[in-house]
Amino acid sequence: MDYRKNKTPLFFMVVIFLGLCLQLPFQTLKKLPVHQRVSVGEKLDFDLRLPKFLAHNFEFTIDGVKPSTFYLGDTTPVAATPGELEVKVKLFGLIPLRYMTVSVVPEVRVIPGGQAIGVLVESEGVMVVGRSAVVDEKGVRHNPAAEAGVELGDVLIKVNGEKVETESQVRDLINKLGQDGKPLNMEFKDRHSQEIYKTIIKPIYCSETKRYRIGLFVRDSTAGVGTMTFYDPQTRAYGALGHIISDIDTCQPINLNRGKIIGARIEGIRMGKKGQPGEKLGVFRGEDDISGNIIKNTNCGIFGKLTKEPNNTYEKETIPVAMAQEVKEGPAEIYTVLQGDKIEKFAIEIQQVHPQGRSEGKGMIIKIVDPKLLQKTGGIVQGMSGSPIIQNGKLVGAVTHVFVNDPSRGYGVFAEWMLYDSGTLPKQLSGRNCEKLTLLEISPAKLAKI
C-alpha cells in the first residue's frame, strides 16, 4: 500500500477539523465591541467558551504586556485606577485577530428610581404634524405649504422674522398677515438635516374656518406619563424614560425649548394583549412631589436637574451603575408603580444582551416573568418606560419598548448609555432610532390648523 496517497485526505480532515474548532471563537471575537468600559475594580470577561486544548493558542495582551493568567476562558482585573487600555488578541501569539480599547472609569453610584412622573415638553417652534387643504370661497382646494416643499416633521421657527412658539400664536399671526394679501417669509427646520431653510408662502382665505391659512396642522407641546430611572442625590442630576420623546404623528424627535418633569399618580392600568399594548392611566400631582427641568432629549432618555427630590424611593441608598459588558443574561428585577405612588419590585429575565449595539434603547431584550405584574398589566405597558432594571445589586438599564405581538417582552437600554447622554461619562457612540410605539403616552392636545 502506498501510504503517501493516503496523507492528502488526512491532511484535509485535520484542516477541516481545526477550521470547525476555530470558527466559533472567530465569530465571537467579531462580536466583541471595539470599545468597552469597566468600572474601577471590576473584571473584564473575554470568555469565548473554547475547549481547553484550544484556549492556550489564543493570547490576550494589555498595553503590550502578557499577563500570566490572562488567557481565553479566564477573567482578570484590568486596572485599579481610571485610564485607557489597549487590548490585543493573537492566535499562537503571532497572528493579530482583534484590537480593543478598554476604558476604566470611576465607579458611578445613583439612587434607582421607579417613580411615576409627568413629562411636560414645549418644543422649539411648532412641529408640522399634518396637512389640511384650504378651500377658498370659490370651492377650489389649495395647499400652499405643500407646494412650497414643507414636509411632515419640519419645524416652523419664524414668520416674517418673528419667532413663533405656540400654535395659537402661529394661527393668529398667519391670519393677521394674510389679510395684507402678501406672501409670508417663513423659516423651517428640516426634519432630516436639522438645517434651517427659508421659503415664501402666500396664505389663502379659508371658507371653512373664516381665516387665512397655509394648509398645515401644527403642534407646539406634548405631555405624558413615564418613569424616573435614577437620580444622583449629590448633583441632583436625573435620567428618565430610556428613549427619546418623539411626536406621535410624525415619529420625529421633539426639539426641546422648555420642558419639566413633575410628580404623577397612577390611577389604573389598561392591560396589554397581543397587538394592543396596554398603558398606565396617570394624573399629574404637581411640583410638590417631584420636580425638575429637562435639559436633554436623546435616544437614551430625558435628562436634567431636580429642583425637588422624590419623597418615595425603593432603595434609600445609592447603588453602583453597571457598565454594559457587566450585564448578563439571566434573572433581574424592575422597579415601577402600578397604583398610586407606591414603587414595587417585579421579577424579569434578561434574555439577550447586545453590548456592542448603538445607544438607541435596544441594548437588551427582557421578558416579564413576575406573575403579579403579568396578571395586572399583561406585561410591559406604556408609561413603564424608564423603569430601572436591577441585576446583582447594580443598576443595569431601563425598560424602553414593548413588543407589540408579545407584551411580556420588550427592549431595555443600558444604564451606561444613559450615563453618556447625561454627561456623567464621556459619550462613545450614538444612534438615532424612532419607534412607532414608545412607552411615553403622548397627548394629542394642542393640535391646530394653520
Side-chain angles (χ1 to χ4, degrees):
M1 178 182 291
D2 190 347
Y3 290 98
R4 290 175 297 180
K5 293 182 180 179
N6 295 327
K7 289 182 180 180
T8 301
L10 181 62
F11 172 76
F12 281 113
M13 289 178 67
V14 171
V15 170
I16 292 172
F17 174 75
L18 288 176
L20 292 174
C21 290
L22 295 176
Q23 184 178 10
L24 175 61
F26 285 154
Q27 290 177 345
T28 313
L29 278 171
K30 288 182 180 180
K31 296 180 180 179
L32 288 176
V34 228
H35 193 170
Q36 298 186 48
R37 277 183 169 89
V38 293
S39 301
V40 171
E42 292 297 330
K43 296 180 179 182
L44 187 60
D45 185 4
F46 286 124
D47 186 4
L48 302 187
R49 298 174 178 83
L50 274 182
K52 289 184 178 180
F53 74 94
L54 283 177
H56 70 278
N57 293 314
F58 288 79
E59 174 185 294
F60 285 81
T61 61
I62 300 179
D63 283 354
V65 179
K66 182 177 74 173
S68 57
T69 58
F70 196 43
Y71 291 98
L72 219 54
D74 295 334
T75 305
T76 182
V78 288
T81 57
E84 294 275 324
L85 299 172
E86 294 297 326
V87 178
K88 298 178 182 178
V89 188
K90 295 181 180 180
L91 179 61
F92 307 122
L94 298 172
I95 306 171
L97 299 177
R98 189 73 165 173
Y99 293 87
M100 295 174 285
T101 301
V102 177
S103 298
V104 183
V105 299
E107 182 183 68
V108 179
R109 300 181 69 91
V110 298
I111 292 182
Q115 300 85 358
I117 56 172
V119 182
L120 307 172
V121 176
E122 292 185 9
S123 62
E124 175 190 13
V126 294
M127 178 177 286
V128 177
V129 297
R131 295 192 180 98
S132 175
V134 183
V135 181
D136 65 18
E137 294 177 303
K138 296 181 179 180
V140 180
R141 299 170 65 88
H142 306 267
N143 202 319
E147 294 169 3
V150 179
E151 297 184 359
L152 300 187
D154 290 352
V155 177
L156 175 60
I157 305 295
K158 292 181 181 180
V159 177
N160 277 11
E162 183 175 340
K163 189 175 181 181
V164 296
E165 295 182 343
T166 67
E167 52 85 16
S168 59
Q169 177 194 6
V170 175
R171 180 189 60 208
D172 296 342
L173 188 60
I174 290 176
N175 182 49
K176 179 183 176 181
L177 296 174
Q179 294 173 18
D180 296 335
K182 298 179 181 179
L184 306 181
N185 295 307
M186 310 187 78
E187 293 185 25
F188 291 85
K189 179 180 286 187
D190 185 89
R191 60 173 287 191
H192 301 292
S193 67
Q194 296 299 299
E195 294 181 354
I196 301 297
Y197 69 90
K198 298 180 180 180
T199 187
I200 296 175
I201 304 177
K202 185 177 181 180
I204 304 293
Y205 184 77
C206 178
S207 59
E208 176 190 356
T209 62
K210 308 302 181 185
R211 54 184 168 82
Y212 284 87
R213 296 179 48 230
I214 60 173
L216 294 175
F217 280 115
V218 295
R219 179 181 293 138
D220 62 2
S221 63
T222 188
V225 174
T227 304
M228 182 179 291
T229 307
F230 66 85
Y231 74 95
D232 182 345
Q234 293 185 337
T235 65
R236 292 201 166 193
Y238 78 87
L241 299 190
H243 62 70
I244 199 166
I245 300 178
S246 301
D247 183 83
I248 195 171
D249 292 308
T250 66
C251 202
Q252 293 300 304
I254 292 177
N255 297 301
L256 283 178
N257 183 29
R258 292 185 299 272
K260 64 181 180 180
I261 63 169
I262 59 176
R265 178 182 177 85
I266 303 304
E267 297 291 333
I269 300 288
R270 182 171 62 82
M271 284 193 62
K273 56 185 179 180
K274 185 176 181 180
Q276 295 181 1
E279 65 176 313
K280 292 183 179 183
L281 306 175
V283 295
F284 297 164
R285 298 184 63 179
E287 299 182 19
D288 291 336
D289 185 32
I290 302 172
S291 65
N293 62 2
I294 301 175
I295 299 174
K296 293 182 179 180
N297 177 32
T298 78
N299 291 308
C300 294
I302 57 173
F303 306 93
K305 291 291 183 74
L306 296 176
T307 53
K308 170 78 169 133
E309 294 183 19
N311 295 320
N312 61 320
T313 57
Y314 192 88
E315 298 279 353
K316 303 297 182 183
E317 303 295 330
T318 60
I319 65 173
V321 177
M323 298 295 103
Q325 69 89 28
E326 299 176 51
V327 184
K328 305 299 180 185
E329 295 176 1
E333 300 92 29
I334 63 170
Y335 299 163
T336 199
V337 175
L338 296 186
Q339 185 65 42
D341 61 359
K342 181 184 177 182
I343 302 173
E344 299 181 76
K345 178 174 70 173
F346 300 101
I348 69 165
E349 179 183 341
I350 300 176
Q351 294 188 321
Q352 294 182 32
V353 178
H354 305 289
Q356 76 279 10
R358 292 192 171 191
S359 53
E360 54 185 13
K362 294 185 176 181
M364 63 186 96
I365 293 178
I366 62 173
K367 180 179 177 66
I368 305 296
V369 296
D370 194 290
K372 179 182 177 182
L373 185 58
L374 289 171
Q375 182 182 14
K376 287 193 172 183
T377 68
I380 300 171
V381 297
Q382 294 181 17
M384 198 179 283
S385 60
S387 299
I389 303 173
I390 312 297
Q391 186 180 59
N392 299 324
K394 292 186 176 184
L395 175 66
V396 301
V399 179
T400 60
H401 300 82
V402 61
F403 291 171
V404 176
N405 291 327
D406 183 3
S408 69
R409 301 172 70 233
Y411 285 113
V413 62
F414 289 120
E416 177 187 356
W417 290 348
M418 296 185 75
L419 292 181
Y420 297 155
D421 284 1
S422 71
T424 306
L425 290 176
K427 195 167 183 180
Q428 178 188 331
L429 294 173
S430 64
R432 298 189 64 184
N433 180 57
C434 184
E435 289 292 322
K436 271 293 184 184
L437 177 65
T438 55
L439 300 180
L440 175 68
E441 179 64 17
I442 299 298
S443 168
K446 291 194 175 181
L447 189 68
K449 283 184 178 181
I450 63 170

